[in-house]
């Protein structure tokens, strides 16, 4: 049984999710075949092959960062190689390509998966009800399954080296894709503060209730020698700038300490901060999903805890 892994890359660099997908594939203990397609991707194959039994390289300028082209190439490779499973990231790219492949080839698909195992049949786990429930699903019998994995759930650090072979194949794409065109990649502007570099992040969520309470958190961050970050609603309300947002549509951070204040722990947020060495959460709801990733938790009102913490640290510091 072979497991395909769709490799994501951008501007000549492999995306982290590609290594996470390779890690997920290795857990199935079968032949891992990475699919690397695009323009001038030869150099990237050397890095991927370290963790795969085989890398199939399709180098074709017609693919040119066009998801429809990637889809058609993947369709043809699946028809030819008949892998049992195809794994890719639940990223904007994966969310575009995976369902299209499933429809083209009439294959079952499981999206946003946090765990994959083989228990006779392929079993996947998805986190539902805003992270409060983990549900197991068996996929119905099929030649091939398409699976997209949630960012940050499979650790690239658990990858074992395979050092397989690189196989270059002719592009199955016979003509240019004309109905969709890649125009250009726009990098978000880098602001004054880079939360990805901070050792201590004091992060605030909707539980803070009002913009007028943000200075309380700023004061705490300052006295802790930390940097202020936030969940997405805080940015949506315009209370803090986008550069402070942690999560799938914000930044991925790995501080030594992450203090989550009034943040529920939605997966889009957790995916961006679960790599922190130490997570401390304050939330008035003892069932808030943030507590399942936190090492320490305080169940209380942030508006009581923040001034008390600030006061205590001031006392300790003298
Ligand atoms: C495509 C997409 C991308 C997204 N990207 C991101 C992203 O990058 N980052 C991100 O953060 N979110 C993202 N989201 C939004 C995400 O789904 C959640 O809605 C968001 O993370 C919730 O933010 P929150 O925890 O601050 O607010 P809420 O979910 O409203 O949680 C507030 C929490 O505060 C607690 N609380 C309330 N009052 C108090 C109090 N007085 N004291 C203590 N606790 C209190 C509540 O119990 C609750 O747990 C994305 C969503 C989508 C659809």
């Amino acid at each position: 049984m072979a497991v395909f892994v769709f490799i994501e890359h951008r501007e000549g660099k492999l995306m982290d999710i590609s290594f996470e997908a390779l890690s997920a594939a290795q857990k199935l203990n079968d032949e891992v075949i990475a699919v690397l397609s695009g323009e001038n991707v030869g150099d990237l194959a050397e890095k991927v092959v370290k963790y795969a039994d085989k890398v199939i390289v399709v180098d074709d300028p017609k693919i040119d960062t066009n998801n429809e082209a990637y889809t058609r190439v993947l369709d043809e490779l699946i028809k030819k190689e008949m892998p049992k499973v195809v794994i890719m990231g639940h990223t904007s790219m994966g969310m575009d390509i995976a369902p299209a492949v499933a429809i083209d080839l009439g294959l079952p698909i499981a999206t946003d998966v946090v765990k994959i195992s083989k228990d006779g049949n392929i079993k996947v786990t998805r986190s539902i009800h805003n992270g409060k429930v983990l549900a197991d699903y068996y996929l119905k019998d099929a030649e091939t399954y398409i699976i997209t994995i949630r960012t940050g759930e499979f650790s690239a650090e658990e990858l074992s080296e395979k050092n397989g072979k690189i196989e270059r194949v002719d592009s199955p794409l016979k003509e240019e894709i004309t109905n969709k065109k890649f125009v250009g990649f726009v990098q978000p502007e880098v602001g004054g503060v880079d939360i990805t570099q901070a050792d201590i992040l004091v992060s605030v969520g909707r539980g803070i209730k009002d913009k007028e309470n943000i200075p309380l958190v700023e004061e705490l961050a300052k006295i802790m020698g930390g940097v202020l970050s936030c969940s997405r609603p805080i940015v949506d309300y315009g209370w803090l700038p986008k550069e402070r947002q942690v999560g799938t549509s914000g930044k991925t951070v790995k501080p030594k300490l992450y203090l989550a204040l009034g943040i529920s722990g939605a997966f889009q947020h957790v995916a961006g901060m679960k790599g922190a060495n130490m997570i401390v959460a304050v939330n008035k709801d003892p069932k808030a999903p943030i507590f399942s990733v936190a090492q320490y938790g305080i169940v209380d009102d942030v508006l009581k805890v923040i001034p008390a913490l600030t006061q205590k640290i001031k006392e300790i510091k003298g």
Side-chain angles (χ1 to χ4, degrees), residues 206 209 231-232 245-249 264 268-269 283 301-302:
R206 193 151 34 193
K209 297 274 193 291
S231 65
R232 179 160 150 174
Q245 184 190 320
V246 174
T248 50
S249 56
S264 58
Q268 292 97 340
H269 187 83
N283 197 303
D301 185 341
V302 278

Side-chain angles (χ1 to χ4, degrees), residues 67-77 79 97 101 104 172-179:
N67 285 355
E68 190 143 337
Y70 287 116
T71 302
R72 290 203 203 163
V73 169
L74 195 53
D75 281 353
E76 294 309 315
L77 292 175
K79 280 196 254 175
I97 296 172
V101 170
D104 286 351
L173 206 62
K174 297 296 167 237
E175 59 212 26
E176 295 272 350
I177 304 289
T178 50
N179 59 335

Side-chain angles (χ1 to χ4, degrees), residues 109-135:
I109 179 169
T111 57
D112 198 22
V113 163
V114 298
K115 201 168 150 205
I116 310 176
S117 56
K118 230 175 9 182
D119 179 4
N121 211 337
I122 299 286
K123 184 167 93 176
V124 295
T125 305
R126 302 180 76 228
S127 127
I128 56 173
H129 299 312
N130 207 11
K132 289 193 172 158
V133 176
L134 287 174

Side-chain angles (χ1 to χ4, degrees), residues 50-94:
K50 224 170 139 188
Y51 306 110
D53 296 292
K54 184 161 90 174
V55 183
I56 299 179
V57 179
V58 183
D59 217 318
D60 181 352
K62 291 197 291 305
I63 298 172
D64 193 21
T65 319
N66 183 325
N67 285 355
E68 190 143 337
Y70 287 116
T71 302
R72 290 203 203 163
V73 169
L74 195 53
D75 281 353
E76 294 309 315
L77 292 175
I78 293 171
K79 280 196 254 175
K80 191 164 158 240
E81 304 274 337
M82 304 285 282
K84 190 72 195 161
V85 182
V86 178
I87 299 177
M88 62 183 88
H90 193 72
T91 56
S92 51
M93 195 174 186

Side-chain angles (χ1 to χ4, degrees), residues 21-51:
L22 284 164
S23 176
Q26 285 191 357
K27 298 210 174 333
L28 292 171
N29 283 326
D30 284 303
E31 189 189 12
V32 174
I33 303 181
V35 174
L36 178 61
S37 49
E39 187 179 6
N40 291 327
V41 287
D43 290 352
L44 300 180
E46 306 291 339
K47 293 181 186 146
V48 175
V49 78
K50 224 170 139 188
Y51 306 110

Side-chain angles (χ1 to χ4, degrees), residues 75-235:
D75 281 353
E76 294 309 315
L77 292 175
I78 293 171
K79 280 196 254 175
K80 191 164 158 240
E81 304 274 337
M82 304 285 282
K84 190 72 195 161
V85 182
V86 178
I87 299 177
M88 62 183 88
H90 193 72
T91 56
S92 51
M93 195 174 186
M95 280 190 260
D96 206 7
I97 296 172
V101 170
I103 292 288
D104 286 351
L105 305 181
L107 300 174
I109 179 169
T111 57
D112 198 22
V113 163
V114 298
K115 201 168 150 205
I116 310 176
S117 56
K118 230 175 9 182
D119 179 4
N121 211 337
I122 299 286
K123 184 167 93 176
V124 295
T125 305
R126 302 180 76 228
S127 127
I128 56 173
H129 299 312
N130 207 11
K132 289 193 172 158
V133 176
L134 287 174
D136 287 341
Y137 300 84
Y138 286 95
L139 297 177
K140 70 173 188 186
D141 223 12
E143 294 282 0
T144 303
Y145 305 108
I146 311 288
I147 295 174
T148 64
I149 57 159
R150 182 178 288 183
T151 322
E153 292 294 332
F154 295 87
S155 171
E157 278 160 27
E158 289 167 14
L159 275 169
S160 32
E161 294 207 8
K162 286 186 167 270
N163 295 312
K165 59 178 181 178
I166 299 174
E167 188 180 302
R168 286 165 205 281
V169 303
D170 289 338
S171 173
L173 206 62
K174 297 296 167 237
E175 59 212 26
E176 295 272 350
I177 304 289
T178 50
N179 59 335
K180 263 189 198 172
K181 192 167 164 42
F182 173 66
V183 180
F185 180 65
V186 181
Q187 276 284 9
E189 273 179 40
V190 180
V193 178
D194 185 358
I195 59 170
T196 65
Q197 300 304 311
D199 278 345
I200 298 177
L201 280 176
V202 177
S203 210
V204 63
R206 193 151 34 193
I208 196 69
K209 297 274 193 291
D210 203 300
K211 188 180 181 182
E212 286 178 4
N213 294 324
I214 299 275
L216 285 178
V217 194
E218 269 168 341
E219 194 190 357
L220 177 61
K222 196 166 163 216
I223 196 137
M224 287 175 67
V227 171
L228 191 62
S229 57
C230 64
S231 65
R232 179 160 150 174
I234 302 300
V235 174

